[in-house]
Amino acid sequence: MYLTHLECPRCGRESAADTVQNLCECGSPLLARYDLPAVAKAVTPERFGLRPADLWRYRELLPVGDPRHVTTLGEGWTPLLRAPTYGAEIGIADLMVKDEGLIPTGSFKARGAAVGVSRARELGVERIAMPTNGNAGSAWATYAARAGMGATIVMPLEAPSICRRECVAAGADLRLIDGLISDAGRRVAELIAASDGAIFDAGTLREPYRLEGKKTMGYEIVEQLGWQAPDVIIYPTGGGVGLIGIHKALHELRELGWIGDKLPRLVAVQSTGCAPIVRAFAAGEDRAQPWADAQTVAFGITVPAPLGDELILAALRESSGTAVAVDDADILADLRDFAAREGLLLCPEGAACLTAARQLRAGGWIRADERVVVLNTGSGLKYPDTVDVSGVPLLV
């Protein structure tokens, strides 16, 4: 294993990677660091194509040392699909969609769960707990069951109902709350505090290894493009782990010498009903203030106070990127338009990225000749109410 230590991006403090860790003493998330020169000597990009089509093909850059602890359902290596018809309509000829809806449990959350559960298993964790907007909870419950680990999941009542069913099916201790993910987070904190160390906090960015699973989206995009980086990557941003992870992956690839110095501009997409990152970015601030009365049809990005706000904002600014808030009505319209033209039903969070792409192209921030990758973070089938079928005639 090439994992060397954990590093705090805020205060610079280094921590050992061989013990269970949550946040740094200063309150910041911790980042996993690797001996990248040794990785470069051990493997070359050409080798990955000879390995299985899952995220574990990048094992030298992942934090699990003993393969016996790897907990997998074949996650990763999702398709990167061209969208020529819709792209031509909005003026982006080279528009592509990374479709995470085909991953186990139907969303990109399975990447973080696979690596996070595997590393927790290797470090001796027996039960995890976490708040969730739905998909992360169902993914962690599923992978915890596969690892023989207990899971307590606290989820808002308004989360997609399929997610609570997945948790129950996986044998998780599911608890529902009439509120937002921030309210669920407070309940999880109480449970962990009362457990006397028996429950591990696996909440978003509260442990270092969920991020490592999600960064593999960045590796895959680059490998699928022939080890070339696109010009723009557009990502729906709630907790922001995927965006932070892609940013981390791109920097690791550059340091390894596997891509050039020019990195993609990153775009964080939020809803006008919950846009703390967009507001902070526009104001030039390093931290985001909590968003009041958060609500949007894109429930997965309803995160009023993301723990990783500093890391998200830093990634946007370092990549010369931007942050965009889009309306729910536009999200649903673009979801339907894309499905009618390209045959793929996106989740509302993925559709929000299309809305952002369309608006950024119309405003000139995206140029017509640029290669743009949009992340569809989950299957549209988990959100059946996004398509209105009330007007469909009944034949008699």
Side-chain angles (χ1 to χ4, degrees):
M1 183 168 66
Y2 296 89
L3 176 68
T4 57
H5 63 281
L6 302 174
E7 179 182 271
C8 176
R10 181 188 296 167
C11 72
R13 180 177 180 270
E14 295 186 0
S15 304
D18 58 356
T19 59
V20 174
Q21 298 275 8
N22 284 116
L23 300 177
C24 177
E25 292 178 356
C26 73
S28 171
L30 294 170
L31 301 178
R33 298 302 187 194
Y34 300 83
D35 185 348
L36 294 180
V39 171
K41 291 179 180 178
V43 66
T44 60
E46 294 77 18
R47 291 276 300 279
F48 295 116
L50 303 174
R51 295 179 176 180
D54 59 33
L55 64 80
W56 298 100
R57 68 201 281 123
Y58 308 112
R59 55 182 175 267
E60 290 86 357
L61 294 159
L62 292 173
V64 182
D66 187 340
R68 294 176 300 175
H69 297 300
V70 169
T71 305
T72 181
L73 290 165
E75 57 287 334
W77 203 248
T78 54
L80 186 60
L81 304 171
R82 295 192 178 277
T85 304
Y86 186 86
E89 180 177 309
I90 66 173
I92 303 175
D94 201 356
L95 177 67
M96 311 181 85
V97 175
K98 178 74 166 161
D99 185 17
E100 293 290 289
L102 298 181
I103 211 164
T105 73
S107 86
F108 78 120
K109 302 289 188 178
R111 293 181 186 266
V115 176
V117 166
S118 295
R119 184 58 174 159
R121 181 182 183 184
E122 187 166 49
L123 294 174
V125 171
E126 296 182 355
R127 173 171 287 276
I128 59 101
M130 61 183 298
T132 178
N133 269 333
N135 280 321
S138 57
W140 281 74
T142 297
Y143 281 84
R146 189 158 178 83
M149 186 183 298
T152 298
I153 309 295
V154 184
M155 184 185 301
L157 276 170
E158 294 300 315
S161 62
I162 183 60
C163 295
R164 75 178 69 166
R165 296 175 191 277
E166 288 176 285
C167 290
V168 171
D173 171 21
L174 176 65
R175 307 183 187 192
L176 301 176
I177 187 167
D178 188 8
L180 299 173
I181 191 171
S182 51
D183 303 305
R186 285 189 283 273
R187 292 298 182 91
V188 169
E190 293 169 0
L191 288 171
I192 291 171
S195 75
D196 195 27
I199 302 177
F200 178 63
D201 189 347
T204 301
L205 290 173
R206 292 186 178 276
E207 54 78 49
Y209 302 115
R210 178 195 299 217
L211 176 64
E212 296 303 288
K214 292 186 180 179
K215 77 177 182 183
T216 59
M217 290 184 289
Y219 294 156
E220 288 181 20
I221 289 169
V222 169
E223 184 180 357
Q224 288 168 325
L225 293 176
W227 297 99
Q228 298 290 321
D231 297 295
V232 178
I233 296 177
I234 305 179
Y235 200 88
T237 305
V241 184
L243 186 142
I244 298 165
I246 290 172
H247 182 249
K248 184 175 187 286
L250 292 166
H251 277 267
E252 289 172 347
L253 291 172
R254 184 169 67 180
E255 189 172 340
L256 285 162
W258 295 352
I259 60 173
D261 289 336
K262 184 181 178 183
L263 299 183
R265 307 195 307 279
L266 300 178
V267 179
V269 182
Q270 299 193 300
S271 164
T272 52
C274 183
I277 295 298
V278 176
R279 182 172 62 189
F281 183 84
E285 297 172 349
D286 295 329
R287 301 298 305 268
Q289 298 301 312
W291 190 273
D293 301 321
Q295 54 184 336
T296 170
V297 67
F299 197 77
I301 54 175
T302 313
V303 182
L307 177 62
D309 55 350
E310 288 175 284
L311 295 172
I312 299 167
L313 291 163
L316 297 179
R317 294 188 175 115
E318 288 174 14
S319 69
S320 299
T322 191
V324 179
V326 296
D327 293 331
D328 279 5
D330 288 332
I331 291 172
L332 294 175
D334 283 312
L335 184 151
R336 292 191 296 271
D337 288 348
F338 188 83
R341 285 157 179 75
E342 299 291 350
L344 178 62
L345 179 62
L346 305 179
C347 65
E349 296 81 12
C353 293
L354 288 178
T355 303
R358 176 170 57 79
Q359 294 179 358
L360 290 170
R361 175 68 190 103
W365 193 89
I366 293 175
R367 299 187 301 273
D369 62 344
E370 291 192 297
R371 173 173 284 175
V372 178
V373 173
V374 162
L375 271 294
N376 178 48
T377 50
S379 171
L381 297 177
K382 300 189 88 170
Y383 303 85
D385 293 339
T386 58
V387 179
D388 183 7
V389 295
S390 59
V392 176
L394 175 65
L395 299 180
V396 294

